[in-house]
Amino acid sequence: MENSDTLSFTPAFERALEFFRAQENYEASPLCALRGPNDITVLAKDETGRMGLGAFKALGAPYAVARILAQAWQRKTGEALALDRLNNSDLRAFSAAHTFVCASAGNHGMGVAAGARAMGAKARIHLAKTVPESFAGRLRELGAEVVRSGDVYDESVAAAIADAGESGAVLLADGTWEGYTEIPKWVMEGYCVIAEEMRAEFEASGNWPTHVYLQAGVGGLAAAMAYMIRHNWAEQPELIVVEPEAAACLQTSHKAGTPTRADGPDSSMGRLDCKEPSIVAWHALEKAGVSYVALSEAEGEAAARAVAELGIETTPSGAAGYGALCKWAPDQGKAFRPLVIISEGAA
């Protein structure tokens, strides 16, 4: 068995793609062209409409929920769970006995709630007091129980871990730490679908990007994209990981040579405002040869406004890659075809 701190998605990303292709609401998110600074053309993978949840995280937690329940089903019955049985009454009755618990500063909670509901299971989401009540309302609409836990995200994570230990619920976090890596890997396998969708389009068009800007909180999306790009893209771009200055935990870890916490004030890039890196994501990014850019609060907010003016409503977190492109780009005299991911909608 491989070390639990390493990534090995092959052929797991193919299983994730097969899983989503079996869902009625799955379709590849659009890859469009935006006008960038100095009138350059920017390729943008638009995740703002992904599977009705409006964010890339629709691909992570729902896939992990299905994987967890399929494993539990096989342990109980001795039979593998085929994709065409996911809505069978016997499986849904089995799923109803399972509760998934997590902390969320944004879209991960939506993914857990949606994934649990789709399989007939329950979800309980811990939110810090800083998370808007409008988001709590969206979670409740998906059938999740919402618990207010702590003043900041780290405290809600601790509450979710304690909840799972005390209640027997399944902890479904998107971050990783020593002793907790397997389930977050499955979340990241779901994110790999994004990179595979883009690879297929670039293979067909031949218009490969030269630079890819990847926003990061704990690093799950960035690591999954970086892994897949290095794994099977025919033309290799430069990879730039983008974090808030207030929570640059991956860049701090890179400089320290080990996963390292990066404390700072609250960031308006709330989905990226993670002070502790995923150890799995950090190891993957170290192997992928990435560079780092950190955005100020003003730069993140300006990026969201700029992307909205180009026709995609998003947040400072969703537009962080575009913000990094505006802040740092190579010599424009050379071939330059940047790619950004608009990771979430504004709602």
Side-chain angles (χ1 to χ4, degrees):
M1 177 178 287
E2 291 193 331
N3 184 293
S4 64
D5 292 348
T6 64
L7 285 177
S8 179
F9 288 130
T10 307
F13 78 88
E14 296 171 353
R15 293 199 299 267
L17 192 57
E18 179 185 18
F19 169 78
F20 283 109
R21 283 175 172 167
Q23 311 305 310
E24 290 184 359
N25 63 342
Y26 169 76
E27 61 179 347
S29 62
L31 183 65
C32 55
L34 303 179
R35 187 182 71 256
N38 300 323
D39 289 327
I40 61 173
T41 298
V42 180
L43 297 169
K45 183 69 164 168
D46 181 3
E47 294 293 305
T48 63
R50 177 69 79 173
M51 297 181 73
L53 290 187
F56 76 96
K57 291 201 172 184
L59 294 170
Y63 177 66
V65 166
R67 284 286 302 269
I68 292 164
L69 290 172
Q71 275 200 349
W73 176 264
Q74 189 161 12
R75 285 195 300 269
K76 178 184 178 183
T77 66
E79 67 176 88
L81 186 61
L83 288 174
D84 60 4
R85 293 194 57 198
L86 293 181
N87 291 317
N88 284 14
S89 59
D90 55 348
L91 175 64
R92 294 188 72 81
F94 173 78
S95 299
H98 292 75
T99 298
F100 294 87
V101 64
C102 75
S104 182
N107 296 308
H108 178 64
M110 296 288 289
V112 172
R117 184 178 70 168
M119 296 292 290
K122 302 178 183 68
R124 184 161 55 251
I125 315 299
H126 289 260
L127 303 180
K129 72 176 186 180
T130 52
V131 178
E133 183 59 29
S134 59
F135 179 73
R138 292 179 66 196
L139 288 168
R140 294 187 185 101
E141 288 174 4
L142 289 170
E145 177 186 355
V146 175
V147 181
R148 290 288 182 174
S149 301
D151 293 333
V152 294
Y153 176 68
D154 284 357
E155 292 175 0
S156 62
V157 171
I161 294 170
D163 181 342
E166 294 165 4
S167 68
V170 179
L171 179 66
L172 206 174
D174 55 352
T176 62
W177 50 86
E178 293 294 339
Y180 185 79
T181 58
E182 195 63 24
I183 287 174
K185 284 184 185 179
W186 294 344
V187 173
M188 293 165 71
E189 286 172 13
Y191 300 158
C192 288
V193 169
I194 301 170
E196 186 61 9
E197 290 173 354
M198 291 192 289
R199 184 204 61 77
E201 288 203 49
F202 294 138
E203 287 279 6
S205 69
N207 187 34
W208 295 89
T210 60
H211 295 71
V212 180
Y213 295 79
L214 300 165
Q215 57 265 68
V218 298
L221 174 66
M225 296 300 97
Y227 175 87
M228 289 298 293
I229 289 168
R230 296 299 186 230
H231 171 66
N232 70 354
W233 281 28
E235 294 191 21
Q236 288 293 302
E238 291 189 32
L239 301 178
I240 302 96
V241 174
V242 186
E243 299 176 284
E245 290 178 352
C249 60
L250 292 160
Q251 184 174 7
T252 299
S253 299
H254 174 72
K255 292 177 179 177
T258 188
T260 302
R261 184 179 176 83
D263 286 311
D266 292 342
S267 172
S268 62
M269 289 168 272
R271 313 297 188 258
L272 310 182
D273 189 14
C274 303
K275 315 301 188 187
E276 197 88 39
S278 160
I279 58 173
V280 170
W282 179 76
H283 281 292
L285 291 169
E286 286 297 288
K287 293 178 179 179
V290 304
S291 58
Y292 289 91
V293 173
L295 295 186
S296 69
E297 298 302 290
E299 288 166 338
E301 291 163 8
R305 292 192 296 271
V307 172
E309 289 173 0
L310 296 172
I312 302 177
E313 295 290 335
T314 188
T315 65
S317 299
Y322 189 92
L325 168 62
C326 294
K327 181 172 184 174
W328 179 88
D331 181 355
Q332 304 275 314
K334 300 178 182 178
F336 182 51
R337 294 185 301 279
L339 167 68
V340 302
I341 298 176
I342 308 301
S343 58
E344 65 177 4

